[in-house]
Structures are given as C-alpha cells and as structure tokens.
Amino acid sequence: MSGTHIALAGLGKRFGNTTAVDALTTDLLPGAFAALLGPSGCGKSTTLAMIAGLIDPDAGDIRFDGLSILTVAAERRPVGLVFQKPLLFPHLNVADNVAFGLRMRRLDRAATRRRVDTMLERVQLADLAHRRVGELSGGQEQRVALARALVLEPQVLLLDEPFSQLDATLRAEMRTLLRQLHDESDVTTVFVTHDQAEAVEIADTITLLIDGRLAGQGEPQLFYTRPPSLAAARFFGATNEITGCVAAGEFTSDDRTIHQPTPLPDGRAVLIIRPEALRLQATSGPGTLGGTTVAARFAGTHLVLDVALDTGRILRVHQPIDQPVRLGSPTHLRIAATEGSIFAEPGDE
Ligand code: ATP
C-alpha cells in the first residue's frame, strides 16, 4: 500500500465573524506523516474535521488521489479518526470495541477475529482483549482507539491531539508506537498538535497554520534552519531578531554594522538568527555587533548566554562549554554572512 495523496485547495471555513480556516492550499503526499501544527485557535481541528467530513467547508475543495471527496458522507470517507478523548463503547470489551467497525461492514466472524487479533498484537493489547474499556489506563484507551481506527485499513488516519492527556513518558511511548504503525501500513497520517517539539519528533513534514492561514510547510528541520515566514520563526521560538531596513537589495541593521544581501523590496525588515549561529569574539570587525554578556547558564550540552547589545536589545547565544565567559565585559557578536533569514516586518510587506 502506498497511501493516499491529500490535496487541500483554497479550503475555507467561517463561524459567524470568525475565519477559522482561510484559503488553505496544501498537498500531503501519499504515505506522509504530516503534523498540522499551530497555536490554539489557528484552525487545526476545523481543518481535520473538514477532511473527515464532520464539518462542511464554505470554500475550496478536498481531494483524495485527485478526486473531490466533498460529496462523500463522513461515514463513507476512507478515513480513521482518533481524538484527544477516545470515545470508546463503555459496555464493550477491548476486542469488541476494535471489532465494531468490521461487524458494521458485515465481515464474517472468522475474518473479523483474525483482523482484531492481529491489530491487538500490533498495539500490544493482546493480553487485555477481554477487559472492559472502563478498566483501562489512558494510554491503553488510546491504543484501543488507534486499533479501532486502523483495523478498518483506512487510506488516511486523522489524529487530533491524541496524546495530550497522557503524561510525558507515556506520550513518548505512544509516539513511537504510532510512528511504527504508520511505517508498517504507509497510511497517510495527519497529526494535529500545538506542540512544536512533538511535531518535530513525530512527523516527516510540518504544515504550520497561524490565524487559519498556511504559515509554512516542509521538513521539521526547515523551520529551524530556514523558517518559511517570520510568523513561523516566532512560533518555533528560540530565535533572535535584529531589526533594520532593506534598501536597494541590502539589509542593514539599525546599528548599521550588519549588511546582508536580500531580494526583499525596500522597507523595514527583521533578520532572524538562531542562538547557535552567533559567535562571540574579542574584537570588532565587519558584521559584528557590540555588546556585553549579562547572563550565562549551563544547559547540559552548551552554555546559554544573554548578550545586551549597545542598542539595548538582548540576544541569546549558545556557546560551547569549553569557551570562557566574562560576565560584564564588552564583547562582539559575529554573524556569518550566509546565516539567518530576513523577512519584511508585518505591516511593512
Ligand atoms: P485548539 O488547539 O485550541 O483546539 P485549533 O487550532 O484546533 O485550536 P479550531 O478549533 O479549528 O482551532 O478553531 C479555529 C477558530 O474557529 C477558533 O477561533 C474557534 O474559536 C473557532 N471555532 C471553531 N469551531 C467553532 C464553532 N463550532 N463555532 C464557532 N466558532 C468555532
């Protein structure tokens, strides 16, 4: 099985005056493990519900392998769904919960039994097949929910914050299990989360939504090394911002020491740079910012320094542990010419 290609084309949804999803166009490749990431209220759940057929879009289209599914009723869409709360049938045991969908499809008893047994093995619940679901832990309940969705062999698996109610250790365990289940079946998987660390850890590709709009899409690493937008860089956090202006194809920082070429049009702009791309040096030179190290903290693999620039702005720097730190002494921050990403300031695009 190679999974289904999902295309969202100009997808939109309003609730009264609120635009939950705004002209969202994106492709999720067959067999992808995609995280739909963004802050609370950015439209992730609404997007997922539209793919599942639980909410009708106001605009745009959703295509599976090139065919629109908008006229296909939710129960006929080839999707499996897992929510934050598992919504299991409390009066049925684990195996019967997992078998439910197959029975609705009138699969014969022996085949149902075989598929349920195999699925329970895959989610490591074979020992608990006859336990009532009311007697399960949170992690076990989510395993049942995963098994119930996957036993129907959906083309697409949709998960809305499925592990957010579990503790950190269990969450990590469930992520590993889910990743394994995905890799065995190649089902195209869309995983909603507001937690960028979770998205980076589990997904092959991240689709970032901010205010209902696409704020970037790509491999997790891209969001760190080359953030696709200023909003994306800010959402991922731990970045430094150096403000300045673009004129005639060159960005110049407000203190006039940093110059970098850019294709942006003239106007106010921000150079985004990650703490590990900044280096301290004793002397000033081209491309350096003058400042003072005002704080240093040991962070296991590196030191985290706060450097106050002469302009008053504080930049965060990661430095190897073996290099000396002189708190309160003047220093200079070097930025390599190829480092950082420049964006127009919002309202100045
Ligand atoms: P969270 O992470 O908090 O679940 P989200 O990114 O999933 O957020 P959505 O639940 O899709 O966001 O909501 C997007 C916007 O649409 C929000 O402003 C929300 O208040 C609004 N919204 C969602 N569902 C409805 C509804 N049924 N009626 C009115 N407004 C809604």
Side-chain angles (χ1 to χ4, degrees):
M1 226 179 7
S2 65
T4 294
H5 179 141
I6 305 174
L8 309 181
L11 201 61
K13 181 67 189 177
R14 291 174 65 89
F15 295 105
N17 289 333
T18 307
T19 303
V21 179
D22 192 7
L24 176 60
T25 295
T26 185
D27 281 279
L28 303 175
L29 297 181
F33 196 123
L36 198 52
L37 175 69
S40 179
C42 72
K44 307 178 295 290
S45 296
T46 304
T47 302
L48 205 75
M50 288 193 283
I51 300 173
L54 305 175
I55 292 179
D56 289 328
D58 302 329
D61 199 3
I62 301 172
R63 292 188 279 271
F64 283 2
D65 288 337
L67 296 175
S68 175
I69 53 153
L70 289 190
T71 56
V72 180
E75 65 276 12
R76 295 195 168 277
R77 292 192 188 182
V79 303
L81 269 170
V82 179
F83 295 102
Q84 196 174 31
K85 296 213 182 86
L87 305 172
L88 304 174
F89 300 114
H91 56 290
L92 298 181
N93 67 24
V94 168
D96 289 337
N97 262 280
V98 176
F100 188 83
L102 295 173
R103 293 200 177 119
M104 295 295 284
R105 289 185 185 181
R106 304 195 183 288
L107 192 70
D108 72 64
R109 280 175 88 101
T112 299
R113 177 85 195 264
R114 254 195 327 272
R115 273 170 67 173
V116 169
D117 286 350
T118 309
M119 201 61 235
L120 289 177
E121 290 284 345
R122 286 177 65 199
V123 298
Q124 297 147 23
L125 278 182
D127 295 350
L128 300 180
H130 301 295
R131 185 170 291 186
R132 289 171 69 91
V133 293
E135 295 160 15
L136 298 178
S137 69
Q140 290 164 342
E141 281 182 343
Q142 277 306 28
R143 284 171 201 262
V144 179
L146 277 173
R148 192 177 57 175
L150 286 172
V151 80
L152 298 173
E153 296 177 352
Q155 291 173 24
V156 170
L157 179 63
L158 305 173
L159 308 112
D160 195 348
E161 308 253 10
F163 309 140
S164 57
Q165 305 220 324
L166 308 178
D167 68 50
T169 314
L170 200 51
R171 219 162 41 225
E173 224 174 80
M174 292 299 289
R175 279 200 291 267
T176 307
L177 173 69
L178 176 60
R179 195 58 231 206
Q180 233 169 23
L181 293 168
H182 167 270
D183 295 349
E184 286 162 11
S185 68
D186 237 4
V187 58
T188 307
T189 299
V190 187
F191 184 97
V192 162
T193 179
H194 63 271
D195 176 348
Q196 77 263 31
E198 181 165 66
V200 165
E201 188 163 317
I202 200 168
D204 302 321
T205 170
I206 292 178
T207 300
L208 180 65
L209 287 187
I210 292 181
D211 291 336
R213 296 207 195 110
L214 187 69
Q217 183 168 37
E219 289 174 20
Q221 201 186 3
L222 172 87
F223 288 85
Y224 288 98
T225 51
R226 290 274 156 216
S229 63
L230 183 57
R234 285 179 174 162
F235 180 73
F236 270 73
T239 52
N240 293 303
E241 297 191 13
I242 295 170
T243 53
C245 272
V246 173
E250 187 178 72
F251 169 84
T252 304
S253 60
D254 285 338
D255 69 353
R256 310 199 70 76
T257 60
I258 306 289
H259 303 273
Q260 287 201 3
T262 170
L264 286 180
D266 292 2
R268 295 288 302 162
V270 186
L271 170 66
I272 292 284
I273 188 140
R274 298 197 64 76
E276 56 275 20
L278 289 172
R279 284 284 167 264
L280 294 190
Q281 62 181 45
T283 52
S284 67
T288 62
L289 295 161
T292 307
T293 307
V294 292
R297 181 167 62 78
F298 177 65
T301 54
H302 57 274
L303 296 171
V304 177
L305 310 181
D306 285 341
V307 177
L309 299 185
D310 297 342
T311 56
R313 181 180 285 271
I314 302 238
L315 297 187
R316 178 69 41 106
V317 181
H318 290 180
Q319 179 170 283
I321 287 167
D322 54 5
Q323 284 178 21
V325 177
R326 284 199 195 88
L327 283 182
S329 307
T331 185
H332 300 275
L333 279 177
R334 183 166 46 80
I335 300 175
T338 53
E339 289 287 359
S341 307
I342 301 166
F343 299 101
E345 267 195 1
D348 220 319
E349 282 135 291

